[in-house]
């Protein structure tokens, strides 16, 4: 029996929204979740650092009806008076296609390809991170900036033995940290279970050992740092968090509680105009800014920050993560 032609069609519905509405969509898609075929939702900035100028793209298999379009509208109340844009697309995986054909990236000692047909480069640690459903193929400035910052930390002689990557995306930053400090214990988490599956696949493709021992990468699905496996391994001497400015600020108390005195924190996913607020949030937790790399593209500047936790003066007590610090910040995704 032949397939229904309408079922093979891909349609995109576009509406304006605010950043607050966009962030809320990561946690709750309302009644759309009850549909047999829920749409894939993607949000993006229209004007950099303008919280009112965001956009929602909803991708459907088959043309959505008036009732379904009305459900999408309920997710973005600010667009009540806006005319939705509905267009038919070829039946493709648009998240994957948006990453295909990107040029390989050299960042520090790392060379990241997203197509197997691209040749490896001598003198680099090569990684193949194929296009897929998680962010972090290395091409975005936040990811390449973190790779450069990790490389710089190693060149400066830093040594780490207990590492966590919060919001791992494709796993590339955790992989890079393990290459630089191969005996370290490492764990990577993401709020999106698909990202955790992608990271596991990428680990096998790139010969990154998985497991709970030294030199192995453990994987968990978690909102922020709220997971027994993450808390149980604390304190960490290196924490990597490449997410968004808002969640980074919200996570400041819990991330710093997981970090040992003198430990290092690498933050990214923020714009230049947001850096002061992020740094201020971590200074209130006893951190100091130790290094910064600025990365630019057509949408603005994306700084990568390296902070150090100030040592406690006097006798150091055993570290315990406070029970009231959950480390949850719903509604964020990884870069």
């Amino acid at each position: 029996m032949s397939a229904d032609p309408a079922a093979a069609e891909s349609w995109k519905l576009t509406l304006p929204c605010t950043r607050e509405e966009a962030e809320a969509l990561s946690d709750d898609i309302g009644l759309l979740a009850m549909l047999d075929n829920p749409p894939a939702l993607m949000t993006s900035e229209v004007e950099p650092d303008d919280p009112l100028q965001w956009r929602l793209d909803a991708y459907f298999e088959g043309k959505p009806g008036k009732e379904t379009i009305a459900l999408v509208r309920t997710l973005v109340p600010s667009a009540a008076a806006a005319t939705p844009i509905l267009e038919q697309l070829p039946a493709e995986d648009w998240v994957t296609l948006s990453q295909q054909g990107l040029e390989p990236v050299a960042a520090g000692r790392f060379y990241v390809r997203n197509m197997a047909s691209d040749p490896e480069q001598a003198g680099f640690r090569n990684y193949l991170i194929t296009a897929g459903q998680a962010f972090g193929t290395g091409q975005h400035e936040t990811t390449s900036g973190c790779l450069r910052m990790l490389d710089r930390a190693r060149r400066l002689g830093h040594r780490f033995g207990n590492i966590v990557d919060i919001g791992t995306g494709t796993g590339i930053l955790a992989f890079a940290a393990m290459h630089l400090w191969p005996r370290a214990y490492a764990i990577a988490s993401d709020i999106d279970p698909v990202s955790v599956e992608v990271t596991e696949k990428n680990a096998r493709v790139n010969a990154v050992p998985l497991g709970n021992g030294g030199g192995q990468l453990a994987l968990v699905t978690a909102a922020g740092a709220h997971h027994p496996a993450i808390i149980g391994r604390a304190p960490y001497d290196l924490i990597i968090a490449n997410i968004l400015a808002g969640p980074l600020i919200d996570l400041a108390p819990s991330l710093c509680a997981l970090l040992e005195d003198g430990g290092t924190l690498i933050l990214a996913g923020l714009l230049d105009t947001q850096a002061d607020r992020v740094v201020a949030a971590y200074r209130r937790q006893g951190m100091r800014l130790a290094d910064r790399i600025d990365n630019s593209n057509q949408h603005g500047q994306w700084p990568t920050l390296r902070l150090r936790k100030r040592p406690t003066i006097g006798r150091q007590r055993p570290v315990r993560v406070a029970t009231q610090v959950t480390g949850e910040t719903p509604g964020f995704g990884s870069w």
Side-chain angles (χ1 to χ4, degrees):
M1 182 171 58
S2 60
D4 180 358
E9 296 175 352
S10 292
W11 289 77
K12 182 174 75 169
L13 173 68
T14 300
L15 283 167
C17 67
T18 67
R19 176 174 178 167
E20 182 179 5
E21 291 167 341
E23 292 179 343
L25 291 178
S26 297
D27 191 48
D28 183 11
I29 64 171
L31 294 176
L32 285 174
M34 304 298 292
L35 297 177
D36 291 336
N37 243 334
L41 303 182
M42 297 181 67
T43 57
S44 58
E45 289 177 299
V46 176
E47 294 293 335
D49 207 30
D50 186 342
L52 300 180
Q53 299 294 319
W54 280 63
R55 184 180 78 192
L56 167 65
D57 292 315
Y59 294 86
F60 294 87
E61 293 182 9
K63 185 177 182 179
K66 291 182 180 180
E67 292 184 358
T68 301
I69 294 174
L71 287 178
V72 176
R73 279 186 173 279
T74 64
L75 301 176
V76 286
S78 66
T83 301
I85 299 173
L86 183 63
E87 56 184 312
Q88 184 178 352
L89 304 169
E92 300 284 3
D93 179 350
W94 290 99
V95 176
T96 297
L97 289 179
S98 69
Q99 298 178 14
Q100 286 181 345
L102 297 176
E103 292 295 320
V105 167
R109 70 191 70 192
F110 305 107
Y111 189 77
V112 185
R113 307 169 294 138
N114 77 325
M115 297 184 70
S117 58
D118 292 325
E120 294 188 352
Q121 293 294 308
F124 290 87
R125 173 54 168 102
N126 287 266
Y127 290 103
L128 175 61
I129 305 293
T130 56
Q133 295 175 279
F135 193 95
T137 57
Q139 280 77 9
H140 195 277
E141 281 69 16
T142 60
T143 307
S144 59
C146 286
L147 291 172
R148 292 167 58 198
M149 186 65 81
L150 287 167
D151 180 73
R152 182 182 291 184
R154 182 65 179 84
R155 294 181 188 279
L156 290 172
H158 293 286
R159 298 288 187 271
F160 301 115
N162 196 19
I163 300 168
V164 61
D165 178 17
I166 303 293
T168 195
T170 62
I172 181 61
L173 299 182
F175 301 167
M178 293 179 65
H179 173 72
L180 296 171
W181 298 282
R183 297 182 181 179
Y185 289 81
I187 186 170
S189 72
D190 203 284
I191 193 172
D192 183 1
V194 172
S195 290
V196 177
E197 293 174 5
V198 169
T199 296
E200 182 177 3
K201 176 183 175 182
N202 287 336
R204 300 189 189 283
V205 168
N206 292 279
V208 176
L210 295 171
N212 294 307
Q216 297 178 324
L217 178 63
L219 300 174
V220 296
T221 301
H226 186 55
H227 193 283
I230 297 174
I231 296 172
R233 287 181 175 230
Y236 297 92
D237 49 12
L238 174 62
I239 297 177
I240 307 164
N242 179 21
I243 42 180
L244 294 169
L248 285 176
I249 292 172
D250 293 340
L251 283 170
S254 55
L255 292 187
C256 293
L258 294 173
L259 192 64
E260 71 178 24
D261 286 355
T264 292
L265 182 59
I266 294 177
L267 304 179
L270 56 142
L271 285 161
D272 179 62
T273 53
Q274 301 166 327
D276 288 345
R277 298 198 301 275
V278 172
V279 171
Y282 283 83
R283 279 180 176 154
R284 288 193 290 270
Q285 304 298 323
M287 305 292 294
R288 66 174 181 85
L289 182 62
D291 198 0
R292 172 173 172 160
I293 294 176
D294 288 300
N295 315 274
S296 300
N297 66 11
Q298 67 269 30
H299 299 300
Q301 273 202 337
W302 300 86
T304 302
L305 310 176
R306 179 168 63 85
L307 300 100
R308 296 289 300 275
K309 189 172 186 179
R310 294 185 177 92
T312 302
I313 298 175
R315 184 177 178 182
Q316 184 175 356
R317 296 180 179 179
V319 176
R320 294 289 184 272
V321 178
T323 56
Q324 69 270 22
V325 178
T326 67
E328 285 195 70
T329 176
F332 76 87
S334 61
W335 284 108

